[in-house]
Amino acid sequence: MTRFDGEVSPAFEIVEPAEWRAPVIFNSPHSGSTYPDEFLAASRIDLPQLRRSEDSFMDELIGHLSARGFPTVRVNFPRSFVDVNREPYELDPRMFTGRLPSFANTRSMRVAGGLGTIPRVVGDGQEIYRDRLLVDEALARIETLYKPYHRALRRLINKVHQMFGTVVLVDCHSMPSVGVSRDEPRRPDIVIGDRYGTSCTPLLPDRVEETMTGLGYSIGRNKPYAGGFITEHYGNPASGLHAVQLELNRAIYMDERRRERGPRFAQVASDFGILADVLATTIPFGDLGPFQAAAE
């Protein structure tokens, strides 16, 4: 299964605005829905079950923002094939035939849960593969899809940083309306994740919460989602790099069972436009650059 790169072309898309309004990037890493044929053949579950891991249509909810002055990023391959919101080598040795590289992270909590860089299960816990994969297959996916995406995202972040002196990365995801555990309380409309205050200035999640609450959404902070690898890896406030994760309740904008856009889809997309405009006009980006050490 090494020819998938031709089936998933382009693997991801970055759309830069004709006129930049602000250093705010909107990213959708989990909305990809192009499934390589050999991946489907190797799966023990069918396509509708595989798609339960998707952040379906999130790329469409933010896609119009490039015309409003904000760069957008979307991944076209599914997270059940390669998950770019993980470390590059979070791999479960039980999944593979052959020896993993010595630098692979085989003991993370995400690997233990079956949700590593090459996931073992889909979102509701169903096993994906009939048989073990070759280690070379996993490494080929990482080299061909994962690494090019992160190189391109890093280039975009560096470009915005050079243009404006700071960057705000809004990492956009969606979550099932109901958790796996019956003990979990009802999920809010949006969960804002800032890695418990470490990935961005507090002003950013505060402004997101104010804006979306004003638009009628209920808001949660960091539970059950505090932000994944992208938020943690690219969020470095001391360097002027700010990252926040948004998890949108799927029941708000889609029919989760049929996997179709819901009646509020257009309104939710419009509300993301309002949020982008608020961030562009009310965040003091000049104050969010690299912290300067005081002179002795």
Side-chain angles (χ1 to χ4, degrees):
M1 204 189 308
T2 57
R3 299 181 300 278
F4 48 78
D5 51 323
E7 295 182 72
V8 189
S9 183
F12 54 88
E13 297 171 73
I14 295 177
V15 180
E16 297 186 14
E19 295 185 12
W20 295 70
R21 288 190 60 198
V24 184
I25 300 169
F26 287 86
N27 180 48
S28 176
H30 283 166
S31 53
S33 59
T34 301
Y35 288 77
D37 291 338
E38 291 186 42
F39 175 49
L40 295 176
S43 174
R44 62 189 297 272
I45 57 178
D46 60 20
L47 181 58
Q49 291 171 310
L50 284 171
R51 295 197 68 190
R52 291 177 182 173
S53 287
E54 282 180 26
D55 292 347
S56 296
F57 313 121
M58 179 54 64
D59 53 342
E60 296 182 30
L61 289 174
I62 66 171
H64 65 101
L65 299 180
S66 56
R68 301 172 74 106
F70 307 92
T72 59
V73 186
R74 59 184 287 182
V75 171
N76 293 326
F77 53 87
R79 68 176 298 190
S80 55
F81 189 58
V82 181
D83 193 338
V84 298
N85 199 25
R86 300 289 181 262
E87 297 174 22
Y89 297 99
E90 285 190 86
L91 300 172
D92 185 344
R94 296 170 296 174
M95 291 180 59
F96 305 104
T97 298
R99 185 185 297 273
L100 290 172
S102 60
F103 50 77
N105 182 352
T106 62
R107 297 186 179 183
S108 75
M109 291 296 293
R110 293 181 288 219
V111 168
L115 297 172
T117 316
I118 308 296
R120 176 172 53 83
V121 302
V122 289
D124 58 358
Q126 293 188 80
E127 297 275 344
I128 295 175
Y129 296 99
R130 292 194 188 92
D131 304 304
R132 290 191 175 201
L133 300 175
L134 295 174
V135 166
D136 287 348
E137 163 66 15
L139 299 181
R141 295 186 198 180
I142 292 168
E143 291 295 329
T144 309
L145 300 172
Y146 178 101
K147 287 187 176 180
Y149 161 79
H150 279 282
R151 283 196 295 267
L153 180 58
R154 195 174 300 112
R155 283 195 299 268
L156 177 63
I157 289 172
N158 289 341
K159 177 177 180 176
V160 175
H161 197 234
Q162 290 174 4
M163 291 172 62
F164 292 93
T166 189
V167 183
V168 169
L169 176 64
V170 183
D171 203 39
C172 301
H173 299 256
S174 68
M175 60 184 172
S177 58
V178 179
V180 176
S181 171
R182 293 183 178 180
D183 297 329
E184 183 179 330
R186 179 188 177 277
R187 289 182 168 177
D189 298 333
I190 298 172
V191 174
I192 304 170
D194 64 356
R195 304 291 301 181
Y196 296 95
T198 63
S199 68
C200 62
T201 172
L203 178 62
L204 181 55
D206 287 350
R207 193 56 45 84
V208 172
E209 180 169 1
E210 292 167 7
T211 303
M212 301 312 282
T213 299
L215 293 171
Y217 295 84
S218 60
I219 303 296
R221 291 277 193 113
N222 288 311
K223 294 181 180 181
Y225 304 103
F229 173 77
I230 290 172
T231 308
E232 180 179 18
H233 182 68
Y234 293 106
N236 185 357
S239 298
L241 307 177
H242 303 266
V244 64
Q245 178 176 285
L246 303 185
E247 290 274 358
L248 179 64
N249 191 315
R250 291 174 191 159
I252 299 296
Y253 72 94
M254 65 179 281
D255 183 317
E256 293 178 272
R257 185 176 62 84
R258 296 182 178 180
R259 200 159 297 279
E260 298 174 349
R261 300 165 189 80
R264 293 183 60 189
F265 188 89
Q267 182 60 56
V268 173
S270 175
D271 290 343
F272 267 92
I274 293 172
L275 174 63
D277 290 343
V278 168
L279 296 181
T281 56
T282 68
I283 296 289
F285 296 109
D287 297 336
L288 302 187
F291 296 161
Q292 302 294 323
E296 295 185 0

